[in-house]
Amino acid sequence: MKGYYGSLRTLAIWVIPSTEHKFPAEHAVVQNCDALASILVAIRILYYHYQAVVYISSTPMDERRVVVTGLGAVTPLGVGVKETWTRLVAGECGVVSVAGESGFETMPSQVAGRVKGFDASQWVPKQDTSKTTPFMHYAYAAAQMALTDANWFPATDAQRHRSGVCVGSGIGCIDEIASTALSFHEKGLKRVSPFFVPRTLVNMAAGNLSIRHGFQGPNHSVSTACATGAHSIGDAFRFIQYGDADVMLAGGTEASITPLSFAGFCRAKSLVTKFNDRPEEACRPFDEDRDGFVMGEGAAVLLLEEFEHAKARGATMYAEVRGYGLTGDANHITSPPEDGNGAARAMKRALETAGMRPEDVDYVNAHATGTMLGDLAETRAIQSVFGPDSKVAVSSTKGAVGHLLGAAGAVEALFTLLAVHHDIIPPTLNLNKLGPEFTLNYVRGKESLRGNPVRAAVSNSFGFGGTNASLVFSKVN
């Protein structure tokens, strides 16, 4: 040890070969130690003589870069990334009418971003069918796409131990719970499936993917309402930065187009009701005539990989994950603060962790769902971070797919990094009329913005309970 100073429980130390860092607090920090002896000496002195808590990090987290090497998606625009992205940038819409479908007849809202053309049997092993539910099926498909795209199929224990999963869902399978509760009430214990619990647990999308692919690294699941997908990617990003894994499947999944889900959000007056006869015009982020959100379903899974690991095997790198910020509003169970300060702090923190300035960002993929309060609060948040006269391009892709709840952040992160990769910014559908405070540089209409480099982009996701997440993606340098 080079030295230490201070009194009991107020100690700062630095250990060779570290750069000198002082931490005057009740914790002593030993950083960047590559000699076991130094660590053991530090622990002995600090713990036995000073009863101090020791935190050890073997590598600084900013030395482990994280890139995206595989993509998978199941969305209202298509099954697969290519079809989804092609239709998105062409200004097409996947929102359809559910009028006339069983259980939806009395719903005030009768439009949805529904997945079409999906055959679970193509993606889910037969032996898993009875143990899984639709939100898991979408995750199976998106994960398989991402792994195939990245060509990552670990063959050794060492590779499997360094590969993990972080996939979440907002509401999982509410209808499975409701139908089982009804069967139990009417017909008793024997009508409850032995697979009832694993079919409904939110973490079983991640759990099944870990089992299916033999990934034995971090097995983690996030459920933070509509910020789930973004938090999943951000947490997986940190797992790799911190050295817990080299490869992570990360994303969100949701199969939410059910009468019970609709009933809950309709009773909360969250869903759009004025455009039932014009489903493609129903989702209107930032528009003066917005009337609530359109519920969507689907999944997106990214394969995140440590940069040197990806480089060594010659993997395609779509973009680099540069920053992650997460905050809480502490305001209301469903409504953001009017000034959007929680969202603003999430964006600022994401930029801080990325080591970037607002002027380094060319695009913001907004959370904007089409609600009166939320879209205005986010506009104010973006203005506070980037400036009221900023030329940063802003769009909400929910106009094309609806709001995928727990999958939204993952799907929109995929759109954001593809915008960076292709230098194409997708438009905000149905944004025809702006209110007086909506002064940002919105990409409107059905035409994508092309021709200018997209060096870096921010993806925002916010959820009930006042939970906020922002991700920063950039080109890989």
Side-chain angles (χ1 to χ4, degrees):
M1 294 180 66
K2 186 174 181 180
Y4 65 87
Y5 72 91
S7 58
L8 182 65
R9 292 187 181 275
T10 304
L11 183 71
I13 74 162
W14 51 103
V15 179
I16 296 174
S18 293
T19 304
E20 294 189 2
H21 292 290
K22 299 180 180 180
F23 298 87
E26 291 189 9
H27 300 82
V29 180
V30 184
Q31 189 175 10
N32 300 348
C33 293
D34 55 10
L36 180 60
S38 297
I39 296 174
L40 294 177
V41 168
I43 290 175
R44 184 172 182 177
I45 292 174
L46 298 175
Y47 181 74
Y48 288 104
H49 292 274
Y50 292 92
Q51 294 81 51
V53 179
V54 182
Y55 291 94
I56 302 168
S57 174
S58 59
T59 35
M61 70 178 186
D62 60 359
E63 285 187 4
R64 286 178 61 87
R65 297 169 62 189
V66 181
V67 294
V68 182
T69 58
L71 306 174
V74 177
T75 79
L77 288 173
V79 178
V81 174
K82 182 178 180 180
E83 181 181 7
T84 293
W85 177 251
T86 300
R87 293 190 64 197
L88 177 73
V89 298
E92 297 184 34
C93 182
V95 178
V96 298
S97 174
V98 295
E101 294 187 26
S102 177
F104 291 92
E105 300 91 344
T106 61
M107 298 295 168
S109 179
Q110 297 196 340
V111 294
R114 186 184 280 287
V115 169
K116 291 188 174 183
F118 179 80
D119 181 358
S121 67
Q122 294 182 8
W123 306 98
V124 183
K126 189 174 182 180
Q127 67 270 22
D128 290 357
T129 303
S130 64
K131 298 179 285 187
T132 54
T133 43
F135 83 97
M136 301 178 201
H137 300 165
Y138 292 154
Y140 268 85
Q144 184 63 54
M145 293 174 196
L147 289 168
T148 301
D149 187 31
N151 192 29
W152 180 245
F153 301 100
T156 67
D157 283 345
Q159 290 175 333
R160 286 187 283 267
H161 293 168
R162 301 293 296 168
S163 301
V165 183
C166 184
V167 173
S169 181
I171 60 176
C173 197
I174 285 181
D175 271 25
E176 178 77 11
I177 298 172
S179 62
T180 300
L182 184 61
S183 295
F184 177 63
H185 177 73
E186 293 179 346
K187 299 179 181 179
L189 177 64
K190 291 186 178 180
R191 294 308 298 268
V192 177
S193 166
F195 296 114
F196 167 61
V197 173
R199 280 169 59 88
T200 56
L201 290 175
V202 165
N203 80 299
M204 288 306 292
N208 278 300
L209 292 179
S210 172
I211 295 165
R212 169 73 171 150
H213 300 288
F215 285 12
Q216 297 175 350
N219 180 347
H220 183 63
S221 185
V222 176
S223 187
T224 49
C226 304
T228 295
H231 278 136
S232 296
I233 294 168
D235 288 357
F237 162 61
R238 287 189 173 173
F239 291 152
I240 295 174
Q241 276 195 323
Y242 277 60
D244 296 316
D246 295 322
V247 178
M248 291 291 300
L249 281 171
T253 183
E254 206 78 90
S256 51
I257 310 302
T258 68
L260 183 59
S261 300
F262 259 60
F265 282 107
C266 281
R267 289 291 292 162
K269 300 186 184 301
S270 298
L271 299 185
V272 62
T273 59
K274 294 181 180 178
F275 296 88
N276 288 335
D277 58 336
R278 292 167 286 162
E280 291 191 353
E281 299 178 24
C283 190
R284 313 181 70 84
F286 300 120
D287 188 72
E288 185 83 344
D289 294 327
R290 63 193 185 279
D291 179 44
F293 73 81
V294 171
M295 195 185 300
E297 63 178 354
V301 173
L302 314 181
L303 194 82
L304 306 187
E305 191 167 349
E306 195 273 326
F307 174 77
E308 294 295 341
H309 187 278
K311 183 179 177 181
R313 67 184 193 88
T316 298
M317 304 181 199
Y318 289 98
E320 182 172 354
V321 188
R322 291 287 299 274
Y324 174 39
L326 59 168
T327 64
D329 290 335
N331 181 70
H332 186 268
I333 58 172
T334 60
S335 299
E338 291 185 0
D339 63 358
N341 73 81
R345 287 185 290 108
M347 285 184 275
K348 288 177 181 178
R349 181 58 184 157
L351 290 171
E352 287 172 4
T353 60
M356 299 173 71
R357 302 165 299 173
E359 53 265 36
D360 297 324
V361 174
D362 295 314
Y363 172 48
V364 175
N365 183 288
H367 176 72
T369 64
T371 63
M372 294 303 292
L373 293 177
D375 291 13
L376 179 56
E378 185 174 11
T379 286
R380 290 168 174 164
I382 296 170
Q383 289 169 338
S384 73
V385 174
F386 292 91
D389 300 317
S390 171
K391 297 303 179 183
V392 65
V394 177
S395 75
S396 170
T397 45
K398 287 185 175 74
V401 295
H403 185 9
L404 276 65
L405 305 182
V411 170
E412 290 157 17
L414 185 149
F415 293 160
T416 305
L417 71 89
L418 284 177
V420 172
H421 183 68
H422 292 295
D423 293 321
I424 301 174
I425 297 176
T428 309
L429 300 187
N430 305 312
L431 178 48
N432 301 326
K433 183 180 179 182
L434 293 170
E437 285 196 62
F438 291 83
T439 60
L440 295 171
N441 181 27
Y442 305 101
V443 182
R444 306 165 59 179
K446 294 187 177 183
E447 294 292 327
S448 294
L449 185 62
R450 305 168 187 258
N452 296 314
V454 183
R455 299 165 299 165
V458 171
S459 180
N460 286 335
S461 293
F462 315 130
F464 280 7
T467 181
N468 309 304
S470 294
L471 296 165
V472 179
F473 297 93
S474 75
K475 293 189 184 300
V476 183
N477 296 316

